[in-house]
Amino acid sequence: MADRSKAEVVLRLFGVNLERQGRGFYVPLEMLAIARGVYLAHQENPEKFAGLLDGGADTAYRRTSHDLARRIATRARIVEGDEELSKAVELDSPETMATLHALFSSLLVEIPGRRSQPGWFGVHIYPFVGELIHYDAVERRIKQTDASSKNSDKKRKQASKVAAGINAPSIERYLFRDGGGWAYKVLRSDPDADRKEATRKGLADLVQDSGTPLGNLAKALSAHDFDYDEAPVEGTDEGITLHEDLSPWPDLLREGTRNIVTRIATVPRAKRTESLMHWIPYCLARHQLHLARTKLGATDQESILLDFGNEATPLRRESQKNLTGFCNDIVNAINVQAREMIDEAEGDEARKRRYERFTKEAGNAVASPRAFFSETLAAVGALNATVGRRHFTMKPPMLEGLVSATIPQGTEMEFDQFCELLYEKYGLVMENKVAAASPLAYEVDPSFLDHNGKAFREKLAAIGLLTQYSDATSMVRGEPR
């Protein structure tokens, strides 16, 4: 990132680079790309490269760009030309390309709030099977010097396919911003050996080759990508600080991820992946909020009021105020952090001037980290919308991920007990009994909370995670029957 002063302030406060560009689903996409790459590198050379979630100073992983599949999905130009393309795709019939376009365009990750269709490098394929998992990429200009004998075999091979001056795929970080690196470090540094091993086995089931027809097709196309790694790359997460002493969310992420990925026998791979895609960014956004409030001196757990109703009520207005207050907390924490770093830079006027922009409550300097929080929650369905009047809620995919992360495999829980657990673990408030234990008890009339609790119960039942019995007992479980 060009603005190093912003990187310094954000990294010091949150331990990881949290910017708007890497929001939402880019966090789990990056984490899964690292996990898949580690798995592939270890399979290639078990003695040289660490296995999935193994500890150590560095993590080596092999990156897949899937640039050919993504270009086909977006009908982007295949710069290599028909001769090269014909090595991967049968061109005798236009139906082949049309079918591949229809297939891969249907597998692209939806980014809520996106107003225009980006180039192929701005879209990513949903990682339903291991062979679909891929890293980030951009377009880079092919130089005349790339064909020089001084360059690597790969560079010369690429230069032979296209003319100099053409923009061609290049594997590198573009939309990923280390959020996935943070999540992978959290999992591989788990101090609970049994939990870590269970997570490793469950995660391996998601990132390894599936051997399915879709997986085989994806693997065949990736063999013809323009850019590829000649050898696994050495990645490091030394610059990432987990702040486990300040926030409960790294350990909550570990526990929830274990609960999600270990449901191999009861939940299809695609559903486990979807839950993980929602759970991981949710945890990072909540981690960001907790660290911000800690910086501001808050000692109590943040209470988040979830609105499950269909109309505007005082409860919804309170939830909207809830969100606005938390976004302000993130901005104020950045201001405080910047002022602390100015004090530390005594005598270094250049550094002081760089940090001064981040002491203001408004402006571009703080907009991106603040947007990471709100837009990440909106992307995964923890807010009602990406723009406009927003409040906290849980849309079905996010709610499924939350329940799967909270209730261990093979167990179920009475509804009231489940609501209490959501408050104890995550500070989530949605019904009157729970609200009575939180500061929100004095902000919303109990009748609205009672109605909201019934709406929450109905939503759980609608997605198959709650069963109501004749004795008025309602049981919540981590996966549909």
Side-chain angles (χ1 to χ4, degrees):
M1 185 170 59
D3 190 349
R4 296 307 306 169
S5 57
K6 182 189 289 187
E8 291 170 20
V9 173
V10 172
L11 278 171
R12 178 76 75 85
L13 178 57
F14 302 120
V16 62
N17 185 14
L18 299 180
E19 300 292 339
R20 180 177 187 172
Q21 193 170 7
R23 69 194 184 280
F25 292 124
Y26 297 123
V27 176
L29 286 171
E30 182 182 14
M31 192 279 282
L32 288 169
I34 294 172
R36 165 76 174 175
V38 169
Y39 172 81
L40 292 176
H42 182 70
Q43 290 289 105
E44 178 182 303
N45 192 334
E47 295 183 0
K48 183 178 181 181
F49 301 117
L52 192 59
L53 300 187
D54 284 352
D58 294 314
T59 299
Y61 51 97
R62 182 176 287 281
R63 301 171 301 176
T64 301
S65 69
H66 263 318
D67 62 66
L68 180 56
R70 288 197 272 170
R71 285 182 288 167
I72 291 173
T74 55
R75 288 199 172 100
R77 179 187 176 193
I78 308 297
V79 295
E80 302 93 311
D82 287 350
E83 185 177 345
E84 283 293 327
L85 181 60
S86 66
K87 297 176 182 178
V89 178
E90 178 59 61
L91 298 179
D92 290 346
S93 170
E95 292 181 1
T96 303
M97 284 294 287
T99 300
L100 288 174
H101 165 73
L103 172 61
F104 284 102
S105 63
S106 71
L107 295 174
L108 298 180
V109 178
E110 292 186 14
I111 304 299
R114 180 176 274 171
R115 296 181 181 178
S116 60
Q117 179 65 31
W120 68 265
F121 48 86
V123 300
H124 292 70
I125 299 172
Y126 210 100
F128 287 117
V129 294
E131 295 93 333
L132 288 173
I133 297 173
H134 62 88
Y135 199 73
D136 221 352
V138 292
E139 285 187 339
R140 296 297 180 198
R141 192 173 299 278
I142 297 296
K143 302 175 183 177
Q144 205 164 19
T145 55
D146 289 344
S148 169
S149 59
K150 296 180 181 179
N151 282 319
S152 66
D153 290 341
K154 185 182 84 168
K155 279 285 187 185
R156 295 198 302 273
K157 182 179 178 182
Q158 290 174 331
S160 70
K161 292 181 178 181
V162 299
I166 294 292
N167 289 333
S170 172
I171 301 179
E172 54 188 272
R173 198 171 69 172
Y174 171 59
L175 289 168
F176 293 170
R177 283 292 183 273
D178 274 346
W182 174 85
Y184 188 80
K185 184 173 184 177
V186 167
L187 295 178
R188 82 182 184 100
S189 60
D190 191 346
D192 186 328
D194 291 338
R195 180 174 62 186
K196 181 178 177 179
E197 178 60 18
T199 302
R200 186 194 66 77
K201 290 179 179 178
L203 192 58
D205 185 70
L206 296 182
V207 304
Q208 68 187 359
D209 287 354
S210 66
T212 60
L214 176 60
N216 292 337
L217 173 61
K219 195 170 184 179
L221 283 179
S222 69
H224 298 276
D225 285 338
F226 184 87
D227 199 17
Y228 54 91
D229 280 337
E230 293 180 287
V233 298
E234 292 285 343
T236 180
D237 51 25
E238 289 182 358
I240 296 174
T241 305
L242 302 184
H243 290 310
E244 294 186 80
D245 56 326
L246 301 176
S247 169
W249 281 95
D251 208 58
L252 290 173
L253 182 143
R254 293 174 183 135
E255 183 179 349
T257 300
R258 185 270 313 275
N259 288 342
I260 290 170
V261 301
T262 53
R263 301 180 191 274
I264 297 174
T266 56
V267 178
R269 180 189 285 110
K271 180 60 69 175
R272 280 176 278 137
T273 299
E274 184 179 37
S275 292
L276 205 60
M277 286 281 287
H278 289 77
W279 174 245
I280 290 174
Y282 181 79
C283 288
L284 181 51
R286 291 295 306 274
H287 178 65
Q288 178 190 20
L289 173 61
H290 192 92
L291 291 176
R293 296 183 75 252
T294 300
K295 172 61 69 174
L296 297 175
T299 57
D300 59 321
Q301 181 191 44
E302 56 267 15
S303 294
I304 292 181
L305 186 58
L306 301 182
D307 176 18
F308 290 98
N310 295 320
E311 57 187 19
T313 64
L315 184 149
R316 178 167 297 180
R317 290 194 291 272
E318 192 62 34
S319 184
Q320 291 167 345
K321 286 171 55 181
N322 215 199
L323 174 61
T324 300
F326 289 150
C327 289
N328 290 337
D329 287 341
I330 290 171
V331 171
N332 293 334
I334 294 173
N335 300 157
V336 170
Q337 182 66 61
R339 286 193 288 269
E340 290 179 1
M341 294 173 72
I342 288 173
D343 293 340
E344 293 173 5
E346 185 176 355
D348 190 336
E349 295 304 318
R351 286 181 62 196
K352 284 185 177 182
R353 285 193 295 273
R354 291 204 311 269
Y355 299 144
E356 279 174 358
R357 291 179 300 145
F358 306 101
T359 62
K360 300 178 176 62
E361 294 184 1
N364 293 332
V366 297
S368 186
R370 177 184 59 200
F372 175 88
F373 173 74
S374 59
E375 293 189 18
T376 290
L377 292 182
V380 300
L383 297 183
N384 65 305
T386 56
V387 294
R389 294 286 288 171
R390 296 184 293 181
H391 57 266
F392 290 105
T393 188
M394 286 277 173
K395 295 181 180 179
M398 181 66 235
L399 188 54
E400 288 177 356
L402 178 74
V403 176
S404 182
T406 305
I407 300 181
Q409 182 179 7
T411 64
E412 57 182 5
M413 189 175 297
E414 202 275 325
F415 175 75
D416 288 341
Q417 183 186 359
F418 177 65
C419 292
E420 291 174 6
L421 184 62
L422 291 182
Y423 177 67
E424 292 171 4
K425 291 170 74 73
Y426 316 128
L428 300 178
V429 178
M430 72 293 295
E431 55 96 41
N432 191 39
K433 293 179 182 177
V434 170
S438 81
L440 297 171
Y442 306 101
E443 306 295 338
V444 182
D445 188 278
S447 63
F448 292 111
L449 286 162
D450 281 338
H451 181 76
N452 196 58
K454 292 175 182 176
F456 177 52
R457 187 195 304 261
E458 291 170 0
K459 182 153 288 192
L460 286 172
I463 59 178
L465 297 178
L466 178 142
T467 301
Q468 297 180 342
Y469 295 98
S470 57
D471 62 353
T473 301
S474 298
M475 301 300 294
V476 184
R477 55 188 172 277
E479 64 272 332
R481 281 182 180 164

